[in-house]
Amino acid sequence: MPHHETTPLDLAVIGGSGLYNFPGLENAERHTVDTPYGPASGDIVVGDFAGKRIAFLARHGESHTLPPHRVNYRANVWALHSLGARRVVGVNAVGGIRDDMGPRVIVVPDQLIDYTHGRLTSYCDVEGAEVKHIDFSEPYAESLRRQLLDAARAAGVAAIDGGCYGATQGPRLETRAEIARMKRDGCDLVGMTGMPEAVLARELELDYACLALVANFAAGCGDEAEISIEEIFAHLAAATADVPRILAELLRV
Ligand code: HPA
């Protein structure tokens, strides 16, 4: 694939719920990338941040019009790759299952379990494409995870190192029984968009890591009888405010 950019990108960021544009991007250019898999969630904005060249894509679209099961993950990851991205941070809103993963906590998970269904999870299902069985024992790039954790520390944010991200289909939240099962399975966090993004990045040999922002305790894990969407977005806004500082530190090294 030809690369549209001549300047290599230092980082690509996929923004989740609550992060629809990247504050502080300078000399920004918008790219509408055509991919063999159809359109990405929207334009990719490439600009300068902290003295480096970064790309930003809003996973749900800039006005949050795509639910998790309708995001074109293949097009999104392909488009970032075709613009020259080699490392990608996925920012994901999540529910916390583990006691120490309550609202506004930031986690850099090191494992995942995929409970989604009916999503297009590979670049290998196009006729004539080479079939690849990739290793996915460690779903996230350890080097990028470490860099994110160091960056969070440098930014004064107490991010938790490790945890298992359970990816659910959504767009509804889970039942208490589903979360109880996920807890027994070993999940610490639950979100709707971590997969297939992570595996598609691996197929394209991108370094990929997840910055998970806890918006709420998952069903049955907190004191509330119900989860309020207003509360989710309020907690998310608070946690999201730390993201540019963390990424600025990440780009310093
Ligand atoms: N479940 C799934 N995804 C989420 C949640 C949740 O409780 N909170 C934010 N994203």
Side-chain angles (χ1 to χ4, degrees):
M1 275 308 277
H3 286 182
H4 303 167
E5 289 273 310
T6 42
T7 326
L9 290 175
D10 293 290
L11 182 70
V13 178
I14 303 179
S17 294
L19 187 63
Y20 306 109
N21 57 63
F22 199 90
L25 268 197
E26 284 167 14
N27 308 315
E29 296 165 7
R30 299 180 76 89
H31 295 259
T32 310
V33 183
D34 244 348
T35 87
Y37 309 94
S41 295
D43 286 350
I44 293 167
V45 183
V46 176
D48 298 322
F49 178 72
K52 302 276 172 67
R53 199 86 182 136
I54 78 163
F56 177 83
L57 174 63
R59 186 186 288 117
H60 299 282
E62 283 172 49
S63 37
H64 201 140
T65 44
L66 290 166
H69 61 292
R70 304 208 38 191
V71 169
N72 191 340
Y73 296 95
R74 294 197 303 181
N76 287 355
V77 175
W78 184 275
L80 293 172
H81 180 263
S82 76
L83 286 174
R86 290 298 168 262
R87 53 179 190 164
V88 179
V89 171
V91 181
N92 297 80
V94 295
I97 297 175
R98 212 165 85 188
D99 288 350
D100 61 341
M101 296 184 178
R104 305 190 181 197
V105 169
I106 295 184
V107 186
V108 182
D110 62 347
Q111 274 300 329
L112 65 79
I113 298 179
D114 188 7
Y115 300 90
T116 67
H117 48 85
R119 299 186 184 184
L120 296 164
T121 58
S122 173
Y123 291 106
C124 295
D125 65 357
V126 178
E127 213 170 278
E130 180 200 351
V131 178
K132 278 194 253 174
H133 296 283
I134 52 152
D135 173 50
F136 205 44
S137 314
E138 299 294 336
Y140 302 110
E142 187 58 20
S143 55
L144 186 53
R145 270 194 1 91
R146 290 259 75 81
Q147 290 163 11
L148 264 177
L149 287 160
D150 290 347
R153 193 172 313 113
V157 176
I160 296 180
D161 177 3
C164 180
Y165 177 113
T168 56
Q169 179 70 355
R172 66 168 177 82
L173 298 174
E174 299 71 33
T175 66
R176 287 173 184 248
E178 285 168 338
I179 295 296
R181 179 181 74 152
M182 291 176 76
K183 192 170 183 169
R184 291 193 296 276
D185 283 354
C187 294
D188 302 306
L189 300 165
V190 55
M192 302 172 189
T193 51
M195 279 294 280
E197 200 170 273
V199 72
L200 292 167
R202 179 63 57 82
E203 279 195 359
L204 295 186
E205 298 178 2
L206 295 165
D207 275 355
Y208 179 88
C210 166
L211 190 63
L213 312 179
V214 182
N216 56 285
F217 269 119
C221 297
D223 300 329
E224 298 93 358
E226 276 181 29
I227 298 166
S228 125
I229 300 302
E230 290 71 33
E231 218 179 292
I232 286 191
F233 277 93
H235 288 313
L236 262 183
T240 301
D242 289 332
V243 171
R245 275 190 301 125
I246 296 174
L247 296 179
E249 289 296 336
L250 179 68
L251 288 164
R252 269 159 54 95
V253 288

